[in-house]
Amino acid sequence: MAETLFDGISLLFQKSAYSNVTSFEPCRSSIDHYKFYQFSLIPAVILTLLMAATTTRKHKLLKILRGRPGLLFPMDTLTRSSRLSYACAFGATAFVVYQISIEHTFAFDYKGPQAAITLMAIFSMIIYGIVFFPVFACLALGSAFSFGLGAVYVWMFFIVNLYRLSECTFTLTGRAVLFVRMLPTLFCLCYLSIMLPIRFVRAIGNKDYFRSPILKKRRSETLDDIKNSYQGRHVRKLLTKPVVQAPPEGFANKAKAFFMSQVHKLVYRREEGFRYSSRLLAVMFVAACVVYVVSIRELFYILHQEN
């Protein structure tokens, strides 16, 4: 079996196109995987510092540079805004997770002992985290400045992935399979490439040029706003003594109550105002993307064995 899914697809469909050829060279991308992510650290750090310069520190060294740069956070763990954007930001990293966990392809060329693979995987995740950090930071800040930088940064990844998809000579079937394999990453990058410019325009219209509207919204929240939110209503419900209802009388009422209780256990009921957190949806989405890529890999392996 080929070392990577990309090489395997190349071998399989070159073989199907040229059945009289006995040896094939796998399609190698002209963009080196290791150098691409290593050099991507440079714009990632620069963009992170630029975004951090739009925020201020709260406690430490407030007199230096007027409290700038501040500490950036990639996302609020309990936020319920920008859920699909956060899911796509995580989804863009799903194939990297697959490469580390399944193919053992790290952010650098490692040929050392097997005992250090876990440590190398941790270092690679740190590098990948820094590389993709500006995407999450621009969503967390929510300003026109951050959306503009994030859009340009995402466009770079989107163009590189499209180039990798088109640079090799495949049959139509081979290119279709390669596209199916890259579909989650392309979808996520395409969504972010469109949505970030739209949010940039909206932020310009709302005059949120540099300051985060999320922070301004939190500062303007009143106690009544918190009480009337879903979380506030849920907490008040927990602290309120529940009303004890009288048990149903008669066989018909008891049967009806039992039947409805069983239905309520099986049927999902949406509560008004409730939304799953962005972190939960993002984690589930990444897991689904990794399962999808692994399934495509196994499907290719079956086809490769049959051919």
Side-chain angles (χ1 to χ4, degrees), residues 10-300:
S10 174
L11 287 171
L12 174 63
F13 289 100
Q14 285 184 45
K15 183 176 180 180
S16 63
Y18 308 102
S19 57
N20 58 339
V21 180
T22 57
S23 62
F24 310 96
E25 288 294 330
C27 177
R28 300 291 184 181
S29 175
S30 59
I31 301 177
D32 185 80
H33 172 84
Y34 307 111
K35 291 183 179 179
F36 173 72
Y37 284 104
Q38 290 168 8
F39 281 107
S40 295
L41 289 172
I42 299 175
V45 172
I46 293 175
L47 293 183
T48 300
L49 292 177
L50 289 175
M51 294 182 193
T54 63
T55 62
T56 57
R57 298 184 293 273
K58 305 300 179 184
H59 304 288
K60 301 292 184 180
L61 305 175
L62 301 181
K63 295 183 179 180
I64 299 178
L65 298 177
R66 296 182 179 180
R68 301 179 188 275
L71 181 64
L72 286 180
F73 54 91
M75 70 179 297
D76 186 349
T77 56
L78 298 179
T79 184
R80 287 165 175 78
S81 60
S82 305
R83 296 186 303 165
L84 186 55
S85 296
Y86 274 118
C88 288
F90 276 97
T93 67
F95 191 71
V96 173
V97 175
Y98 161 79
Q99 287 182 312
I100 292 178
S101 58
I102 305 298
E103 295 185 348
H104 300 295
T105 302
F106 305 123
F108 42 84
D109 190 8
Y110 175 72
K111 298 179 180 179
Q114 294 290 324
I117 284 184
T118 302
L119 184 61
M120 296 302 104
I122 294 175
F123 287 153
S124 296
M125 291 304 296
I126 294 175
I127 293 175
Y128 290 136
I130 297 174
V131 169
F132 285 99
F133 186 85
V135 181
F136 297 94
C138 77
L139 294 173
L141 287 176
S143 63
F145 182 71
S146 65
F147 283 141
L149 295 179
V152 174
Y153 194 60
V154 168
W155 289 343
M156 178 190 74
F157 285 99
F158 189 44
I159 292 173
V160 168
N161 277 274
L162 289 179
Y163 177 75
R164 284 176 171 173
L165 182 63
S166 61
E167 64 177 328
C168 293
T169 303
F170 285 134
T171 63
L172 180 61
T173 307
R175 195 172 300 281
V177 173
L178 186 59
F179 174 79
V180 169
R181 190 269 290 179
M182 297 181 65
L183 189 59
T185 301
L186 292 176
F187 169 78
C188 294
L189 292 175
C190 180
Y191 177 85
L192 292 174
S193 298
I194 297 173
M195 187 54 61
L196 290 180
I198 293 176
R199 296 195 174 191
F200 170 78
V201 175
R202 289 178 180 174
I204 291 290
N206 296 331
K207 298 182 179 180
D208 296 322
Y209 302 116
F210 295 98
R211 296 189 62 185
S212 173
I214 300 176
L215 297 178
K216 292 191 293 185
K217 181 180 179 181
R218 288 178 180 174
R219 292 170 183 171
S220 62
E221 279 185 335
T222 63
L223 183 59
D224 291 335
D225 294 333
I226 298 175
K227 286 182 178 180
N228 294 328
S229 64
Y230 172 80
Q231 293 81 0
R233 295 198 307 269
H234 181 68
V235 171
R236 285 190 295 168
K237 182 179 178 181
L238 293 176
L239 298 177
T240 303
K241 184 178 180 180
V243 179
V244 179
Q245 297 181 351
E249 297 181 357
F251 177 78
N253 292 332
K254 289 182 179 179
K256 180 180 178 181
F258 175 78
F259 176 76
M260 294 304 298
S261 65
Q262 298 302 315
V263 171
H264 290 163
K265 291 180 181 179
L266 299 175
V267 179
Y268 174 78
R269 293 181 300 166
R270 182 181 181 275
E271 296 188 26
E272 183 181 357
F274 174 78
R275 301 179 72 187
Y276 288 103
S277 67
S278 299
R279 183 178 65 172
L280 176 62
L281 291 180
V283 171
M284 297 299 295
F285 186 72
V286 170
C289 290
V290 173
V291 171
Y292 173 86
V293 175
V294 172
S295 301
I296 294 297
R297 176 178 180 267
E298 295 302 320
L299 178 61
F300 156 73

